[in-house]
Amino acid sequence: MTESLKAAETVTSRSEQGDRFHDESFREGFEEGRLRAARRILIRILELTPGGISVQHRRRIEASTDRQELDDWLGAIFRIRNWSAPARE
């Protein structure tokens, strides 16, 4: 194999590795953004409830890394609370 072919294969291999790293990093960043948004939304909804949010619940939500857990908490809030839409004029 000639030196130029070896060099081309090395560049291609590095490029593929870079693409995989970029894709993985993007997915991880995207998921972290979704987790932050889910935490923020859940905390905001709890802040707006009559009882507010306890310090323990806020800490637990802020520490959660499980989006399904956050979604489950949100579903529980909507099942427990008697939600009614605000009156529109």
Side-chain angles (χ1 to χ4, degrees), residues 8-75:
E9 285 182 356
T10 301
V11 169
T12 300
S13 177
R14 287 183 185 160
S15 177
E16 289 170 358
Q17 289 173 350
D19 289 348
R20 281 193 297 274
F21 177 75
H22 178 267
D23 291 346
E24 289 172 17
S25 296
F26 177 81
R27 281 192 295 274
E28 289 172 7
F30 185 76
E31 183 57 28
E32 179 56 37
R34 291 177 72 180
L35 277 169
R36 268 187 298 219
R39 288 185 205 114
R40 188 178 68 244
I41 290 167
L42 184 58
I43 288 170
R44 183 66 180 133
I45 288 171
L46 287 170
E47 287 173 340
L48 294 171
T49 61
I53 181 173
S54 70
V55 172
Q56 293 99 345
H57 284 129
R58 179 183 295 273
R59 286 184 183 148
R60 185 172 173 193
I61 291 166
E62 288 172 344
S64 178
T65 59
D66 184 348
R67 200 166 43 89
Q68 185 59 53
E69 179 182 42
L70 297 170
D71 288 345
D72 291 345
W73 286 341
L74 188 57

